[in-house]
Amino acid sequence: GFVVIHHAVLGTLDPSAVYNHPEATAHPFEWALIHGGFVLAASIASVVAWRFNEEQSFKDSLTHLPNRRLFRDRVGHALARAQRRPATSAVLFVDLDKFKDVNDSLGHPAGDELLTTVAERLRVVVRPGDTVARLGGDEFAVLAEDMAGEDDAVAMGERLLAALAVPFVLRGKELTVGASIGIAFSVPGDTVDDLLRNADVAMYKAKSDGKGRVARFEPDMHAAVMRRIETENYLRGAADAGEFTLHYQPIFALRTGRLSGFEALLRWQHPTRGLLGPSDFLPVVEETGAITTIGSWTLGEACQQLRRWMDRFPQAPPLSMSVNLSPSQLFHPDIVDIVTEALARARIDPANLILELTEGVMVNEGPVVVDRLQSLAALGVQIAIDDFGTGYSSLSYLRRLPIDILKVDKTFIDDIADQDRDSTVARAIIGLAQTMELAIVAEGVEHHEQVAELRLLGCDFAQGYWFAKPLHVDGVGAMLSIATLNDRWLAHVGP
Ligand code: C2E
Ligand code: CA
Ligand code: CA
């Protein structure tokens, strides 16, 4: 409008000031309109581009869901509305439980595909006015306004969980991913940051309570999470400060009663909290990714310790060393090199190293898992399935993967000598291992009745408090000295 008026008025009063064209000087109004048209077109293009950029900066490019910025904005509006008219809004934080495994084993494109499918499922489950956003990585959030009550939001959380519990099909494979959900409700006076932080805290709680569940925020959760963050910070320094140690639990051959080897179990000598077991810190270690560093240290140290004992007790029969590997260690591209190096440095025969993995890793049977296990088996190390029987029902992987040993979980061993309880599961597992020619280790043996029963069933090895608790290195040294004195290499079980 300005251009049209400006050009028209000046074009009439002093044509040569605006136009240098005889045609234009003759028809100043028409030319003023033409100029105005050009300016208008340019403005429209600029506004469209601006809107498009704006849209982009509020949208997640992979899933097209609102991003963190827009989500915060919407939460802010919801809180402002709630000030005028009391209403409960809820923020639900949704975090996938096994996203990292999928990404590591099937690759990033598969991970992206999974995230897109998750976004679709979440969108379908919420009510029309609710906002579903992707906050980053595998973290999603839902803003539900005008909830009838807190139970309403929890019900929505359950619906979201159910939607994500349905198996996903990726690369022709079915896999379950699962999620943990934290819910926080708006309280008058809350800021956006408060509400989001509370939902995050509740989500942490849902995860640490065993994943695959919904937790609603309660004020005292905050302290627990702070403690966790403190642990996380400490962890970074602990490895450097040499605060990690290994304890060794002896494993016995049931037929002869002889000591057959040890399982290395990680401990953290915490400067103020004392000696901590894996359950106090391992989940955090795994989440922070420090597991690869600590895991490599464990492998190296366990092998070196075995070497030291072999040097000190040359008359001992061959002893094995079992080391636990967490899934992320198996997925680490250098794991084969790390194991090779640990064996070489300690001059350990690969056959004497046993790597323990839980069933969960085997089940998805991604190409990476198969490849890693085969490479490790090719080194000559033995592979054991830890906590066998607690994970999944599919046993098909047992035949396809290079597995040597099954460790039957304590829960099944507990029942084995109990007259009132059913020991069929343990019996079936031992029978299965025998037909598949796998060695079998009974875990958590606490009573001699169990030992007798396991021997009857033909179980090969056993480990548990009845024989020995996990011991400090010096304790093992003492035990080996006594065995040497007796020259029998027998411990608690007579032949
Ligand atoms: P796990 O591999 O199943 O190890 C056996 C656990 O059972 C050990 O607990 C051991 O102390 C305990 N245990 C042994 N015998 C008995 C018994 O007779 N009765 C009872 N009640 N418990 C018994 P711990 O040392 O607390 O380790 C817990 C878990 O932490 C291990 O379970 C393993 O999954 C993990 N872990 C330990 N060290 C490492 C490590 O270096 N790396 C990795 N990735 N995981 C580790
Ligand atoms: Ca183990
Ligand atoms: Ca176990």
Side-chain angles (χ1 to χ4, degrees):
F2 175 77
V3 168
V4 172
I5 291 167
H6 174 256
H7 283 36
V9 174
L10 264 188
T12 325
L13 297 177
D14 181 11
S16 61
V18 230
Y19 304 116
N20 55 5
H21 198 275
E23 177 71 5
T25 334
H27 307 283
F29 277 94
E30 268 167 45
W31 282 80
L33 277 172
I34 292 171
H35 280 195
F38 275 113
V39 170
L40 187 65
S43 311
I44 289 171
S46 149
V47 166
V48 167
W50 178 68
R51 286 284 302 178
F52 184 71
N53 275 335
E54 183 92 322
E55 191 110 309
Q56 290 285 301
S57 69
F58 282 125
K59 281 262 154 74
D60 167 50
S61 56
L62 177 67
T63 59
H64 305 297
L65 289 177
N67 62 11
R68 185 181 285 271
R69 225 177 112 190
L70 181 54
F71 188 72
R72 289 183 59 92
D73 202 57
R74 298 253 171 102
V75 173
H77 283 301
L79 290 178
R81 258 197 303 276
Q83 299 244 306
R84 293 194 298 270
R85 174 178 56 89
T88 316
S89 302
V91 167
L92 297 89
F93 263 38
V94 181
D95 192 274
L96 303 183
D97 288 335
K98 285 187 235 151
F99 179 69
K100 204 171 168 307
D101 288 358
V102 172
N103 226 15
D104 288 346
S105 64
L106 299 181
H108 285 286
D112 285 354
E113 203 179 314
L114 176 65
L115 292 174
T116 323
T117 319
V118 167
E120 273 161 25
R121 289 195 189 175
L122 295 180
R123 230 185 327 224
V124 171
V125 174
V126 302
R127 305 165 311 171
D130 299 334
T131 303
V132 181
R134 177 170 173 233
L135 302 184
D138 59 341
E139 247 188 30
F140 294 85
V142 176
L143 167 66
E145 290 184 66
D146 297 322
M147 294 261 98
E150 300 198 350
D151 292 340
D152 226 23
V154 174
M156 174 182 284
E158 302 281 357
R159 281 205 305 279
L160 294 171
L161 267 194
L164 297 178
V166 179
F168 292 83
V169 179
L170 280 182
R171 306 284 125 106
K173 272 197 194 312
E174 250 193 28
L175 31 98
T176 41
V177 177
S180 301
I181 298 184
I183 307 182
F185 303 96
S186 61
V187 180
D190 266 356
T191 63
V192 174
D193 285 322
D194 291 335
L195 195 54
L196 297 192
R197 189 206 60 201
N198 293 351
D200 200 18
V201 164
M203 198 271 291
Y204 247 73
K205 180 78 167 78
K207 277 236 189 277
S208 55
D209 280 355
K211 304 187 172 171
R213 61 187 73 213
V214 177
R216 49 169 112 185
F217 175 78
E218 275 146 36
D220 61 351
M221 279 180 187
H222 195 56
V225 167
M226 289 315 286
R227 198 174 149 90
R228 205 183 156 92
I229 290 171
E230 187 195 329
T231 312
E232 213 170 294
N233 286 336
Y234 257 76
L235 266 174
R236 288 181 233 278
D240 301 331
E243 287 168 11
F244 287 104
T245 52
L246 292 177
H247 281 195
Y248 298 89
Q249 187 172 35
I251 301 173
F252 293 89
L254 281 175
R255 203 172 44 80
T256 58
R258 280 172 186 273
L259 174 70
S260 78
F262 300 95
E263 175 174 2
L265 295 160
L266 193 59
R267 298 289 180 266
W268 180 8
Q269 188 62 58
H270 192 282
T272 54
R273 284 158 64 192
L275 191 67
L276 303 181
S279 58
D280 295 317
F281 61 88
L282 213 58
V284 190
V285 174
E286 299 200 342
E287 270 166 36
T288 54
I291 187 69
T292 32
T293 324
I294 297 171
S296 309
W297 173 82
T298 304
L299 261 168
E301 176 60 22
C303 288
Q304 305 242 321
Q305 190 52 59
L306 183 61
R307 164 52 52 201
R308 289 192 277 265
W309 286 326
M310 283 165 68
D311 289 347
R312 194 171 142 204
F313 304 101
Q315 65 278 58
L319 294 172
S320 64
M321 182 57 78
S322 301
V323 177
N324 295 286
L325 276 198
S326 58
S328 45
Q329 278 178 278
L330 185 70
F331 290 130
H332 195 278
D334 294 339
I335 185 66
V336 180
D337 294 340
I338 293 170
V339 173
T340 313
E341 156 125 8
L343 288 167
R345 280 189 56 194
R347 291 171 286 116
I348 297 290
D349 179 354
N352 292 335
L353 178 65
I354 300 170
L355 299 176
E356 298 193 357
L357 288 151
T358 46
E359 269 179 304
V361 194
M362 314 291 164
V363 164
N364 288 343
E365 263 191 89
V368 181
V369 173
V370 178
D371 177 74
R372 292 288 149 79
L373 286 178
Q374 280 166 352
S375 312
L376 289 170
L379 292 180
V381 303
Q382 301 191 63
I383 312 273
I385 305 296
D386 208 350
D387 306 338
F388 185 78
T390 54
Y392 298 81
S393 50
S394 160
L395 296 172
S396 58
Y397 72 86
L398 283 180
R399 254 192 305 150
R400 284 199 292 275
L401 298 174
I403 290 156
D404 308 285
I405 303 167
L406 295 187
K407 298 193 78 173
V408 187
D409 193 68
K410 179 171 183 301
T411 46
F412 304 114
I413 303 303
D414 284 346
D415 295 350
I416 204 160
D418 192 330
Q419 301 303 327
D420 309 328
R421 309 276 269 299
D422 197 4
S423 65
T424 39
V425 179
R427 283 166 205 277
I429 294 176
I430 294 172
L432 172 83
Q434 283 164 345
T435 44
M436 298 191 75
E437 296 183 324
L438 301 171
I440 194 137
V441 183
E443 288 192 290
V445 176
E446 294 180 343
H447 311 287
H448 85 271
E449 291 87 353
Q450 292 171 314
V451 179
E453 187 65 28
L454 286 165
R455 279 181 154 170
L456 274 180
L457 293 175
C459 176
D460 307 292
F461 301 97
Q463 166 186 7
Y465 293 172
W466 192 72
F467 300 97
K469 290 198 166 180
L471 302 167
H472 185 264
V473 204
D474 298 339
V476 177
M479 197 184 101
L480 292 178
S481 305
I482 294 167
T484 319
L485 274 182
N486 292 342
D487 197 29
R488 292 197 306 159
W489 293 97
L490 304 183
H492 310 255
V493 260

